[in-house]
């Protein structure tokens, strides 16, 4: 199919040009002349190769999936669409981009065995449009349109399988609430034959062929970079687990925000080494998921990952649990015990809650880390072990060392490569909603619902809530809300899918976060009053915070002047920065005393101060 250079430029500009006015110049399509190829796909392939070859901050650039889908939907009918990648090892579809659907849909996984329409699309060749009276339930029933509207069922559905030869790479879906909207796509059902298509339909077909080329190019780049190879011969993507981290597969999830992308880059750098790793983070952030990822991507993946929680053991039994004992070594030792280090020989040992390890036992652990040998209780024989140690803690070990509660030499031995797992409040809206989508899909399956979604107000509440319990709290919150929503809808089951399952909506009231929201709003609306009441003191503290790398003077001045254009998050962080700095100075720069005055955990306060730029 011949295609002019103008058409090629329109296609690529639609994908690579900025979607918003503040998009960086580097994200725009280069101004160089287009290659003289005879098809738009060949031209775009050249640009995609150039796009992927560029790096940002030393990392390869991800494909602009959202832009690609938005550009395609400018040419095609439909009210909603998805671009999903096939995960062969799980027989699931992973959304790479969505159009006209709630943001949390990108965190869901769609098992083909549970979604007959997606399975039919994946098995079909070319465009497959379902009959308007099809009794197959649509995976997006209840997710389109106004959440409170009377019509939530998809009434027109089509899709196309994205393949490279016989290998399924993914699918695209198109949905509409209005019957007949997708009728023009039926002209493309004979997708393999294009000679008789009119020129406009040939251009549409070219657009529809782009996602398969993009997926193929992206997968081959991952394979060339040394990613895990699946049974199809192409690299297998990472699947996000309920902890917010990845499972065994190795590709980064496209929904990952900057904070988690940085962590993922560090994981990839250190996983295949023998370095001892110290994983730090607040309670509930998913530290065990990070440890599992490190083990699965290491050379020891085929060997055991042994876990021991140092906080769950009696101080009298910690040494025996770690290093083992011989029969008769102490009262109650009726048989030999190998110890966790020997159990993990050749593999990985997770020392969870390492900050709780008794001080008296720390020199023995240090010896094992240094020499690779240990002596079980009651034995005069030294045992050699080959173990990679990963330690995890929610404590600030630097502060524990300063307070004399943790040995400095052991801390440095454990933190050869420190990893900080960011709390949920630092991960950004996209990451939070993607995690919410994962939990919503899990609860939809667990409760046997047709679909489960959040109202826009519930989404805003999730994004505004500080989540002190992090990912674990989010999971439990949505599990409770899903159960309450099912009970509330069960009394009046007016919204049903084609298979009779309920379409359930979660409202803010069902999340049970009202008290926290009121506190948050009260704090936000009281910022101006707090500023006015302590203007002079804050100005002095602002100067000190600025010297310590705090907020920009322009942002600080805007907050102090009560500038209504300042965003809620910026205003809240500015207030926190100034208030913490003031209390810290009043406490003679003693973090323990400042934490007591602020009624918070000392380690959490210090990490918050680091994030805000106070220290």
């Amino acid at each position: 199919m011949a295609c002019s250079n103008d058409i090629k430029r329109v296609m690529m500009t639609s994908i690579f040009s900025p979607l918003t006015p503040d998009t960086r110049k580097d994200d725009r399509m280069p101004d160089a002349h287009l290659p003289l190829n005879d098809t738009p796909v060949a031209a775009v392939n050249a640009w995609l190769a150039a796009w992927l070859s560029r790096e940002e901050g030393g990392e390869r650039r991800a494909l602009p999936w959202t832009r690609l889908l938005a550009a395609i939907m400018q040419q095609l009918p439909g009210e909603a669409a998805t671009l999903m990648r096939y995960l062969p090892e799980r027989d699931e579809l992973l959304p790479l981009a969505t159009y006209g659907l709630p943001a949390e849909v990108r965190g869901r996984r769609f098992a083909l065995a549970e979604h007959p329409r997606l399975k039919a699309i994946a098995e079909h060749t070319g465009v497959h449009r379902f009959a308007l009276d099809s009794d197959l339930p649509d995976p997006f029933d209840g997710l389109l349109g106004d959440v409170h509207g009377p019509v939530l069922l998809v009434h027109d559905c089509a899709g196309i399988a994205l393949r490279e030869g016989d290998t399924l790479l993914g699918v695209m879906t198109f949905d509409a609430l209005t019957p007949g909207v997708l009728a023009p796509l039926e002209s493309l059902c004979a997708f393999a034959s294009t000679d008789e298509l009119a020129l406009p339909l040939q251009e549409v077909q070219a657009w529809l062929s782009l996602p398969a080329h993009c997926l193929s190019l992206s997968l081959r780049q991952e394979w060339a970079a040394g990613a895990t190879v699946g049974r199809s011969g192409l690299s297998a993507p990472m699947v996000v687990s309920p902890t917010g981290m990845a499972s065994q597969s190795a590709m980064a999830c496209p929904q990952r925000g900057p904070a988690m992308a940085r962590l993922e880059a560090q994981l990839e750098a250190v996983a295949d080494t023998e370095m001892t790793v110290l994983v730090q983070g607040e309670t509930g952030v998913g530290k065990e998921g990070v440890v599992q990822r490190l083990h699965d991507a290491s050379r020891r993946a085929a060997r055991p990952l042994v876990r021991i929680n140092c906080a769950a053991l009696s101080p009298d039994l910690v040494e025996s649990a770690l290093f083992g004992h011989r029969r008769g070594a102490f009262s109650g030792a009726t048989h030999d015990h190998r110890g966790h280090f020997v159990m993990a020989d050749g593999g990985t040992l997770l020392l969870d809650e390492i900050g709780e390890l008794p001080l008296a036992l720390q020199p023995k652990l240090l010896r094992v880390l240094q020499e690779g040998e240990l002596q079980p209780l009651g034995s005069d024989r030294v045992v050699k072990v080959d173990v990679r140690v990963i330690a995890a803690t929610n404590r600030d070990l630097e502060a524990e060392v300063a307070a004399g509660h943790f040995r400095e030499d052991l801390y440095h031995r454990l933190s050869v490569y420190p990893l900080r797992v960011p709390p949920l409040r630092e991960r950004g809206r996209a990451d939070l909603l993607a995690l919410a989508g994962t939990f919503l899909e899990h609860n939809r399956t667990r409760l046997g619902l047709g679909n489960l979604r959040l109202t826009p107000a519930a989404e805003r509440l999730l994004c505004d809530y500080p989540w002190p319990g992090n990912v674990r709290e989010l999971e439990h919150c949505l599990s409770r809300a899903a159960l309450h929503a099912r009970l509330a809808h069960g009394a009046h089951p007016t919204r049903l899918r084609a298979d009779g399952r309920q379409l359930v909506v979660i409202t803010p009231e069902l999340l049970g976060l009202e008290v926290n929201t009121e506190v948050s709003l009260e704090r936000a609306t009281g910022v101006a009053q707090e500023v006015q009441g302590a203007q002079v003191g804050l100005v002095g503290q602002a100067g000190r915070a600025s010297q310590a790398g705090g907020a920009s003077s322009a942002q600080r001045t805007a907050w102090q002047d009560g500038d209504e254009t300042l965003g809620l998050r910026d205003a809240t962080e500015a207030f926190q920065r100034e208030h913490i700095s003031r209390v810290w100075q009043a406490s003679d720069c003693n973090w323990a005393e400042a934490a007591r005055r602020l009624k918070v955990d000392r380690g959490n306060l210090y990490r918050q101060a680091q994030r805000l730029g106070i220290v």
Side-chain angles (χ1 to χ4, degrees):
M1 172 180 58
C3 190
S4 69
N5 231 31
D6 290 339
I7 293 178
K8 299 173 191 174
R9 181 168 292 279
V10 168
M11 293 176 68
M12 287 179 288
T13 301
S14 298
I15 300 171
F16 293 102
S17 61
L19 296 179
T20 57
D22 58 350
T23 304
R24 293 177 302 163
K25 184 176 180 180
D26 288 345
D27 284 344
R28 297 172 186 159
M29 190 190 73
D31 293 328
H33 294 295
L34 293 172
L36 296 178
N37 299 301
D38 60 353
T39 67
V41 170
V44 173
N45 272 342
W47 281 115
L48 288 173
W51 175 276
L52 289 170
S53 66
R54 297 171 62 185
E55 294 187 352
E56 292 179 341
E59 300 178 12
R60 295 185 304 277
R61 306 180 75 178
L63 273 165
W65 299 111
T66 299
R67 295 182 182 184
L68 174 63
L69 183 59
I72 291 174
M73 292 308 295
Q74 291 176 8
Q75 315 296 321
L76 299 177
E79 300 170 28
T82 65
L83 171 55
M84 296 192 279
R85 177 175 179 176
Y86 179 59
L87 310 180
E89 72 278 9
R90 301 171 65 94
D91 198 30
E92 292 180 345
L93 293 170
L94 162 72
L96 299 176
T98 61
Y99 177 90
L101 292 167
E104 49 84 4
V105 173
R106 295 183 67 184
R108 303 194 183 204
R109 302 294 177 268
F110 297 90
L112 294 184
E114 297 178 10
H115 297 283
R117 288 207 185 195
L118 294 179
K119 184 176 179 63
I121 293 171
E123 294 174 349
H124 194 77
T125 300
V127 176
H128 179 45
R129 183 178 178 230
F130 293 89
L132 297 180
D133 58 353
S134 173
D135 59 356
L136 294 178
D138 191 281
F140 306 113
D141 278 335
L143 299 180
L144 275 72
D146 184 0
V147 71
H148 299 296
V151 180
L152 292 174
L153 297 179
V154 171
H155 289 292
D156 207 346
C157 175
I160 179 173
L162 308 175
R163 304 181 186 277
E164 183 179 45
D166 295 330
T167 301
L168 179 65
L169 304 180
V171 304
M172 281 189 68
T173 65
F174 307 92
D175 292 286
L177 295 175
T178 306
V181 169
L182 302 180
L185 291 180
E186 284 194 304
S187 302
L188 298 175
C189 286
F191 191 76
S193 176
T194 61
D195 295 338
E196 298 180 359
L197 290 177
L199 182 59
L201 290 178
Q202 291 181 6
E203 295 176 11
V204 170
Q205 181 190 359
W207 278 106
L208 288 177
S209 67
L210 283 177
H213 286 267
C214 292
L215 276 173
S216 176
L217 190 62
S218 178
L219 289 168
R220 291 187 181 283
Q221 187 205 39
E222 293 163 17
W223 178 81
T228 302
V229 177
R231 67 170 181 258
S232 65
L234 300 172
S235 60
M238 172 187 289
V239 179
V240 176
S241 70
T243 61
M245 281 310 302
S247 65
Q248 190 167 354
S249 303
M251 176 206 161
C253 174
Q255 281 69 263
R256 185 143 296 143
M260 294 302 288
R262 286 192 294 271
L263 176 61
E264 176 64 25
Q266 292 177 309
L267 285 173
E268 290 184 359
V270 73
D272 196 30
T273 71
E274 294 296 305
M275 289 184 179
T276 302
V277 179
L278 176 62
V279 181
Q280 295 177 292
E282 299 175 11
T283 298
V285 294
K287 295 187 290 293
E288 283 201 19
V290 172
V291 174
Q292 186 68 57
R293 170 79 167 89
L294 285 168
H295 176 72
D296 290 342
S298 74
R299 304 166 192 170
R300 301 172 180 261
R303 302 292 295 169
L305 168 60
V306 178
R307 298 174 171 87
I308 182 170
N309 190 320
C310 300
L313 296 173
S314 165
D316 297 332
L317 298 177
V318 173
E319 183 174 2
S320 171
L322 286 175
F323 310 128
H325 65 257
R326 295 292 176 260
R327 179 182 176 184
F330 52 86
S331 178
T334 59
H335 61 276
D336 290 350
H337 174 61
R338 291 188 299 162
H340 284 75
F341 266 96
V342 175
M343 292 181 196
D345 191 27
T348 305
L349 177 64
L350 166 61
L351 299 176
D352 201 8
E353 303 294 350
I354 187 64
E356 307 296 332
L357 189 69
L359 192 61
L361 193 59
Q362 293 178 18
K364 296 184 178 181
L365 176 59
L366 180 64
R367 179 193 175 191
V368 177
L369 295 176
Q370 289 176 333
E371 308 296 337
E373 59 185 30
L374 55 88
Q375 189 171 357
L377 287 172
S379 173
D380 56 2
R381 186 170 64 89
V382 173
V383 178
K384 287 281 188 181
V385 290
D386 173 24
V387 175
R388 184 189 190 183
V389 172
I390 300 176
T393 182
N394 60 3
R395 291 197 176 200
D396 182 354
L397 290 189
E398 285 189 359
E400 295 295 309
V401 169
H405 299 153
F406 202 86
R407 290 181 61 102
E408 184 176 7
D409 49 2
L410 178 59
Y411 167 71
H412 289 300
R413 177 66 65 173
L414 291 171
S415 61
V416 175
Y417 198 101
L419 285 176
R420 176 180 177 269
V421 185
L424 189 55
R425 62 183 174 274
E426 294 181 11
R427 299 189 190 182
R429 182 177 185 275
D431 271 11
L432 189 148
L433 291 179
L435 278 172
T438 300
F439 298 135
L440 288 174
E441 183 65 15
H442 172 73
N443 283 284
R444 182 199 69 80
T445 303
R446 181 174 61 89
L447 298 175
L449 301 175
N451 232 325
L452 185 63
R453 73 178 289 186
L454 299 164
T455 65
E459 282 191 1
R460 290 192 297 270
L461 179 55
L462 290 182
C463 294
D464 291 340
Y465 186 69
W467 299 110
N470 291 291
V471 179
R472 188 179 298 126
E473 183 182 6
L474 173 65
E475 179 182 11
H476 295 167
C477 172
L478 291 175
S479 295
R480 290 191 302 269
L483 181 60
H484 294 157
R486 186 190 67 165
L487 294 175
H489 285 260
H492 305 283
T494 57
R495 296 178 175 181
L496 300 176
R497 209 168 62 167
D499 56 1
R501 295 189 178 187
Q502 287 179 272
L503 304 176
V504 175
V505 176
I506 295 178
T507 59
E509 295 76 19
L510 296 174
L511 293 173
L513 303 176
E514 295 90 342
V515 174
N516 302 62
T517 305
E518 291 171 2
V519 171
S520 178
L521 291 174
E522 180 181 352
R523 181 182 302 164
T525 55
V527 165
Q529 296 176 356
E530 182 77 17
V531 174
Q532 296 297 327
Q535 185 76 20
V536 175
L538 291 182
V539 170
Q541 293 296 335
R544 285 190 289 271
S546 176
Q547 294 175 359
S552 69
S553 60
Q555 183 189 57
R556 189 163 48 249
T557 301
W559 173 71
Q560 292 171 348
D561 291 342
D563 186 353
E564 296 180 355
T565 65
L566 193 62
L568 176 60
R569 177 170 294 180
D570 290 338
T572 303
E573 288 189 352
F575 170 71
Q576 291 176 336
R577 184 180 294 108
E578 299 299 345
H579 187 57
I580 292 174
S581 179
R582 183 170 68 249
V583 173
W584 180 51
Q585 293 286 343
S587 304
D588 295 327
C589 299
N590 185 305
W591 286 112
E593 176 62 24
R596 279 191 290 271
R597 294 188 182 190
L598 292 170
K599 300 179 182 179
V600 297
D601 177 76
R602 177 183 57 188
N604 289 343
L605 176 62
Y606 187 78
R607 284 189 290 273
Q608 180 81 336
Q610 286 182 311
R611 186 180 69 82
L612 295 172
I614 298 173
V615 294

